[in-house]
Amino acid sequence: MQMRFLFFTFIYSSCAQQLLFPNDFKFGVATSSYQIEGGWNASGKGENIWDHMTHNNPKSIQDKSNGDIACDSYHLWKTDVQLLKNLGVHFYRFSLSWSRLLPNGLNNRINYDGVHYYNNLIDELLKYNIEPVVTLYHWDLPQGIQNIGGWPNIATADYFMDYAKVAFDLFGDRVKTWITFNEPIEICVSGYGGGDKAPRIIYPGISDYLCGKTILIAHAKVYHLYNNYYRAKQRGKIGITIDTAWNEPNDNTTLSKEASELSLQMQFGWWAHPIFSKNGDYPNVMKERIANISKLQNFKTSRLPNLINHEINYIKGTADFVGVNHYSTVLTSYQPLPKTIPVSFYNDLCVKSEVDPKWKPSAATWVKDVPWGLRKLLNWIKNEYSNPVTYVTENGYPDLGELNDVGRINYLQGYLKELLLAVVVDKCNVAAYTVWSLLDNMEWAEGYKLKFGLYNVNFSDPTRKRTAKSSVEFYKNIIKSRMIPFDNAEVYIL
Ligand SMILES: *[C@@H]1O[C@H](CO)[C@@H](O)[C@H](O)[C@H]1NC(C)=O
Ligand SMILES: *[C@@H]1O[C@H](CO)[C@@H](O)[C@H](O)[C@H]1NC(C)=O
Ligand SMILES: *[C@@H]1O[C@H](CO)[C@@H](O)[C@H](O)[C@H]1NC(C)=O
Ligand SMILES: *[C@@H]1O[C@H](CO)[C@@H](O)[C@H](O)[C@H]1NC(C)=O
């Protein structure tokens, strides 16, 4: 270890230059429709599951807030593009609101005010050479589709494909990067498995796995649709965004190493293995684990719905890139199964997750500042799926809104340095990095308390005034220089 460390120190310091991100590496920022747009019922938009939940059960949000107005980006899109221009980002990742385009979720009625809104935004971005990177589904399902079961209903895959077709037809002449889903585990486990996200269906260990199968099939349908009917003409790329914390074994025991691997496979591999692995299908360890526990619970078959051969082949290989959302790390160790095992995803997983009290905290319990976790995760993905083209589609730091956001700057500096090492030293095939988020916004069940923005938004001000935080200058400089200021002696290999 010591030898290798010196070797790299020598190589890089002898160049007397800082490591640089490759010339074609792209930097961006991200948002999502429900979190920023507002205009919840403006000119023809239909109700979605977040509108429905926040209006009918305000207590489902910590501060009883909602996204009715949010950052009012439905009206302030021109201002937002000026902020992006000031940052000098290469791309802007945003999502389309399905129920703004198709008010009841179905393709028989298009809301042309919604079309107009996204056309304006896309054209304004292109005017300043900012590439639109578009997420089709960032959690805001039309309520009508939820009324017939939502994602656990396999029919939703076809409605999603119908919607995607409308989006490709309307915007695919200008949008060249498509992301089908954002963070499927949150959609399924938090939305249908007893978590805190809309539509808050509580049927853990059953409904979440049904949802998962629909999402995988829906993703594949939309990939094939694009690949077979649009790719030749529109020449874009299409992928999916998956999230996980890095799971570091808490000690050097085999049991802890197995627990970490199980955790990565069940959270990230659930989605990535069917799409990016050589053999497809869910990860073996996940199938075995859920089958074992289902049996202990007296189920006659596994609660994880099977993928038949035809489905495995249909899903395998359906992405041009893997999007990775990553915020933090946990220390994972073995936990014995309890005597009676309640039915749920987390009991199927059954590992112990802790954090090191020495890690720098943030305003969210689930985010600690642990930069090396990003590098380890990117290397795990490289090894697991034959070094796929990877975009970091979200990474960011929550605080309570300070304008001189040194916590955010430290976090970004650390994570960007580890990203740079992953790209330059480890040769991970990462082509893009995205900060969550452009703006302080509606952080789902956590409401407006947590602030992730590079720009502050005054939510008491009817004009939703935006103000740059210190991190704007910081990120701007990194984009311009392609360089993270740090000492070459810190270059190490994993
Ligand atoms: C939209 O919702 C607001 C409340 O958020 C309500 O005051 C207004 O009348 C609604 N507008 C339409 C067009 O339904
Ligand atoms: C695990 O082993 C490695 C070397 O084999 C050592 O550097 C590391 O400190 C050990 N970690 C723990 C948590 O014991
Ligand atoms: C499933 O159960 C079998 C038989 O008890 C065991 O050998 C295997 O390790 C278990 N697999 C998982 C992933 O728990
Ligand atoms: C936010 O806007 C409100 C209403 O315009 C104003 O009273 C308040 O001073 C603003 N807050 C800050 C921190 O600028």
mmCIF file of all heavy atoms in Angstrom, residues 58 74 81 130 152 200 228 273 343 353 373 386 409 419 453 465 472 475:
data_model
loop_
_atom_site.group_PDB
_atom_site.id
_atom_site.type_symbol
_atom_site.label_atom_id
_atom_site.label_comp_id
_atom_site.label_asym_id
_atom_site.label_seq_id
_atom_site.Cartn_x
_atom_site.Cartn_y
_atom_site.Cartn_z
ATOM 1 N N PRO A 58 -52.393 16.485 4.652
ATOM 2 C CA PRO A 58 -51.267 17.430 4.806
ATOM 3 C C PRO A 58 -50.216 16.955 5.800
ATOM 4 O O PRO A 58 -49.052 17.280 5.667
ATOM 5 C CB PRO A 58 -51.946 18.714 5.313
ATOM 6 C CG PRO A 58 -53.381 18.577 4.953
ATOM 7 C CD PRO A 58 -53.684 17.111 4.920
ATOM 8 N N TYR A 74 -42.817 27.086 -12.988
ATOM 9 C CA TYR A 74 -43.779 27.075 -14.101
ATOM 10 C C TYR A 74 -43.856 28.462 -14.730
ATOM 11 O O TYR A 74 -44.058 28.615 -15.926
ATOM 12 C CB TYR A 74 -45.169 26.626 -13.620
ATOM 13 C CG TYR A 74 -46.176 26.553 -14.747
ATOM 14 C CD1 TYR A 74 -46.068 25.585 -15.741
ATOM 15 C CD2 TYR A 74 -47.230 27.471 -14.838
ATOM 16 C CE1 TYR A 74 -46.966 25.522 -16.794
ATOM 17 C CE2 TYR A 74 -48.139 27.411 -15.893
ATOM 18 C CZ TYR A 74 -47.995 26.434 -16.856
ATOM 19 O OH TYR A 74 -48.895 26.381 -17.903
ATOM 20 N N VAL A 81 -33.173 29.600 -16.329
ATOM 21 C CA VAL A 81 -32.169 29.397 -17.381
ATOM 22 C C VAL A 81 -31.032 30.419 -17.246
ATOM 23 O O VAL A 81 -29.869 30.096 -17.492
ATOM 24 C CB VAL A 81 -32.811 29.427 -18.782
ATOM 25 C CG1 VAL A 81 -31.747 29.336 -19.867
ATOM 26 C CG2 VAL A 81 -33.803 28.275 -18.936
ATOM 27 N N ILE A 130 -27.131 24.948 -23.466
ATOM 28 C CA ILE A 130 -27.260 24.066 -22.298
ATOM 29 C C ILE A 130 -28.105 22.871 -22.731
ATOM 30 O O ILE A 130 -29.232 23.038 -23.200
ATOM 31 C CB ILE A 130 -27.932 24.793 -21.121
ATOM 32 C CG1 ILE A 130 -27.099 26.028 -20.734
ATOM 33 C CG2 ILE A 130 -28.108 23.865 -19.933
ATOM 34 C CD1 ILE A 130 -27.839 27.022 -19.853
ATOM 35 N N PRO A 152 -47.827 -0.977 -8.929
ATOM 36 C CA PRO A 152 -47.970 -2.426 -8.750
ATOM 37 C C PRO A 152 -48.860 -3.071 -9.827
ATOM 38 O O PRO A 152 -48.833 -4.289 -9.999
ATOM 39 C CB PRO A 152 -48.601 -2.551 -7.356
ATOM 40 C CG PRO A 152 -48.143 -1.312 -6.646
ATOM 41 C CD PRO A 152 -48.160 -0.243 -7.701
ATOM 42 N N ARG A 200 -48.111 6.442 -0.715
ATOM 43 C CA ARG A 200 -48.150 5.914 0.651
ATOM 44 C C ARG A 200 -49.066 4.708 0.797
ATOM 45 O O ARG A 200 -49.855 4.628 1.737
ATOM 46 C CB ARG A 200 -48.619 7.004 1.618
ATOM 47 C CG ARG A 200 -47.490 7.869 2.113
ATOM 48 C CD ARG A 200 -47.916 8.642 3.322
ATOM 49 N NE ARG A 200 -46.758 8.997 4.138
ATOM 50 C CZ ARG A 200 -46.836 9.352 5.410
ATOM 51 N NH1 ARG A 200 -47.992 9.387 6.020
ATOM 52 N NH2 ARG A 200 -45.756 9.660 6.069
ATOM 53 N N ASN A 228 -36.188 1.216 -31.348
ATOM 54 C CA ASN A 228 -36.740 0.716 -32.617
ATOM 55 C C ASN A 228 -37.341 1.805 -33.491
ATOM 56 O O ASN A 228 -37.333 1.683 -34.710
ATOM 57 C CB ASN A 228 -37.819 -0.341 -32.355
ATOM 58 C CG ASN A 228 -37.246 -1.573 -31.669
ATOM 59 O OD1 ASN A 228 -36.044 -1.810 -31.735
ATOM 60 N ND2 ASN A 228 -38.100 -2.326 -30.999
ATOM 61 N N HIS A 273 -28.938 -5.079 -12.104
ATOM 62 C CA HIS A 273 -28.596 -6.428 -12.555
ATOM 63 C C HIS A 273 -29.446 -6.871 -13.752
ATOM 64 O O HIS A 273 -28.910 -7.367 -14.742
ATOM 65 C CB HIS A 273 -28.676 -7.419 -11.392
ATOM 66 C CG HIS A 273 -27.914 -8.682 -11.634
ATOM 67 N ND1 HIS A 273 -28.452 -9.750 -12.322
ATOM 68 C CD2 HIS A 273 -26.635 -9.030 -11.344
ATOM 69 C CE1 HIS A 273 -27.545 -10.714 -12.411
ATOM 70 N NE2 HIS A 273 -26.440 -10.304 -11.830
ATOM 71 N N VAL A 343 -43.319 -9.205 7.213
ATOM 72 C CA VAL A 343 -43.140 -9.174 5.762
ATOM 73 C C VAL A 343 -42.790 -7.758 5.312
ATOM 74 O O VAL A 343 -43.624 -6.852 5.416
ATOM 75 C CB VAL A 343 -44.431 -9.652 5.058
ATOM 76 C CG1 VAL A 343 -44.292 -9.540 3.549
ATOM 77 C CG2 VAL A 343 -44.750 -11.084 5.463
ATOM 78 N N SER A 353 -27.148 -1.299 9.661
ATOM 79 C CA SER A 353 -26.489 -0.136 9.049
ATOM 80 C C SER A 353 -26.202 0.897 10.115
ATOM 81 O O SER A 353 -27.092 1.279 10.862
ATOM 82 C CB SER A 353 -27.405 0.523 8.006
ATOM 83 O OG SER A 353 -27.579 -0.314 6.924
ATOM 84 N N GLY A 373 -16.826 7.183 -0.331
ATOM 85 C CA GLY A 373 -17.894 6.239 -0.673
ATOM 86 C C GLY A 373 -18.279 6.330 -2.144
ATOM 87 O O GLY A 373 -18.594 5.321 -2.773
ATOM 88 N N SER A 386 -19.162 -4.488 -15.997
ATOM 89 C CA SER A 386 -18.209 -4.294 -17.110
ATOM 90 C C SER A 386 -18.072 -2.829 -17.509
ATOM 91 O O SER A 386 -18.161 -2.490 -18.690
ATOM 92 C CB SER A 386 -18.602 -5.116 -18.339
ATOM 93 O OG SER A 386 -18.923 -6.409 -17.985
ATOM 94 N N ILE A 409 -19.870 23.445 0.156
ATOM 95 C CA ILE A 409 -18.626 23.553 -0.612
ATOM 96 C C ILE A 409 -17.647 22.447 -0.212
ATOM 97 O O ILE A 409 -17.061 21.785 -1.070
ATOM 98 C CB ILE A 409 -18.003 24.958 -0.432
ATOM 99 C CG1 ILE A 409 -18.896 25.988 -1.140
ATOM 100 C CG2 ILE A 409 -16.577 25.006 -0.960
ATOM 101 C CD1 ILE A 409 -18.483 27.431 -0.930
ATOM 102 N N LEU A 419 -14.443 11.623 -7.257
ATOM 103 C CA LEU A 419 -14.932 11.346 -8.615
ATOM 104 C C LEU A 419 -13.779 11.449 -9.608
ATOM 105 O O LEU A 419 -13.605 10.603 -10.492
ATOM 106 C CB LEU A 419 -16.038 12.352 -8.966
ATOM 107 C CG LEU A 419 -16.516 12.353 -10.410
ATOM 108 C CD1 LEU A 419 -17.244 11.050 -10.735
ATOM 109 C CD2 LEU A 419 -17.456 13.533 -10.673
ATOM 110 N N GLY A 453 -30.117 23.617 -2.453
ATOM 111 C CA GLY A 453 -29.864 24.440 -3.634
ATOM 112 C C GLY A 453 -28.506 25.113 -3.668
ATOM 113 O O GLY A 453 -27.942 25.464 -2.630
ATOM 114 N N LYS A 465 -37.921 34.959 -5.068
ATOM 115 C CA LYS A 465 -36.617 35.513 -5.435
ATOM 116 C C LYS A 465 -35.509 34.478 -5.221
ATOM 117 O O LYS A 465 -35.463 33.808 -4.197
ATOM 118 C CB LYS A 465 -36.354 36.760 -4.581
ATOM 119 C CG LYS A 465 -35.109 37.514 -4.941
ATOM 120 C CD LYS A 465 -35.124 38.901 -4.266
ATOM 121 C CE LYS A 465 -33.910 39.713 -4.648
ATOM 122 N NZ LYS A 465 -32.696 39.275 -3.949
ATOM 123 N N VAL A 472 -22.191 28.685 -5.614
ATOM 124 C CA VAL A 472 -22.329 28.981 -7.047
ATOM 125 C C VAL A 472 -20.961 29.312 -7.641
ATOM 126 O O VAL A 472 -20.557 28.746 -8.656
ATOM 127 C CB VAL A 472 -23.327 30.138 -7.286
ATOM 128 C CG1 VAL A 472 -23.197 30.696 -8.701
ATOM 129 C CG2 VAL A 472 -24.756 29.658 -7.045
ATOM 130 N N TYR A 475 -18.705 26.113 -7.733
ATOM 131 C CA TYR A 475 -19.002 25.134 -8.786
ATOM 132 C C TYR A 475 -18.658 25.702 -10.164
ATOM 133 O O TYR A 475 -18.132 25.005 -11.031
ATOM 134 C CB TYR A 475 -20.470 24.716 -8.691
ATOM 135 C CG TYR A 475 -20.825 23.482 -9.516
ATOM 136 C CD1 TYR A 475 -19.975 22.389 -9.575
ATOM 137 C CD2 TYR A 475 -22.032 23.416 -10.230
ATOM 138 C CE1 TYR A 475 -20.309 21.257 -10.315
ATOM 139 C CE2 TYR A 475 -22.376 22.287 -10.969
ATOM 140 C CZ TYR A 475 -21.515 21.210 -11.007
ATOM 141 O OH TYR A 475 -21.842 20.096 -11.740
#
